[in-house]
């Protein structure tokens, strides 16, 4: 996971192509491209917290 500091959003790194880093929102959705200088790694503790929040959100969705 990484943070796009230009958008203040965290996403999963999907690819590094054409001088850009492609990220996808944690809950799914459309990828976005970020400049490499705007991308920073997310600390492990924050990553785990975000993953638990995503899992909780998914488990609360109706089936």
């Amino acid at each position: 996971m990484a943070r796009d500091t230009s958008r203040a959003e965290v996403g999963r790194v999907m690819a590094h192509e054409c001088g850009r880093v492609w990220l996808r929102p944690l809950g799914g959705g459309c990828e976005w491209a970020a400049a490499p200088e705007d991308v920073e790694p997310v600390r492990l503790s924050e990553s785990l917290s975000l993953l638990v929040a995503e899992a909780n959100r998914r488990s609360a969705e109706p089936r």
Side-chain angles (χ1 to χ4, degrees):
M1 275 190 248
R3 176 176 288 104
D4 178 352
T5 59
S6 70
R7 294 174 54 148
E9 291 189 45
V10 174
R12 287 193 167 95
V13 176
M14 304 306 289
H16 299 266
E17 294 181 352
C18 303
R20 307 294 277 173
V21 178
W22 291 86
L23 299 132
R24 178 170 300 208
L26 296 181
C30 295
E31 294 178 6
W32 77 91
E37 61 270 12
D38 292 334
V39 177
E40 61 184 26
V42 175
R43 297 178 73 164
L44 179 59
S45 59
E46 185 179 0
S47 293
L48 292 173
S49 178
L50 292 166
L51 289 171
V52 168
E54 180 185 2
N56 288 340
R57 182 194 52 75
R58 275 186 283 150
S59 69
E61 291 177 352
R63 293 184 180 240

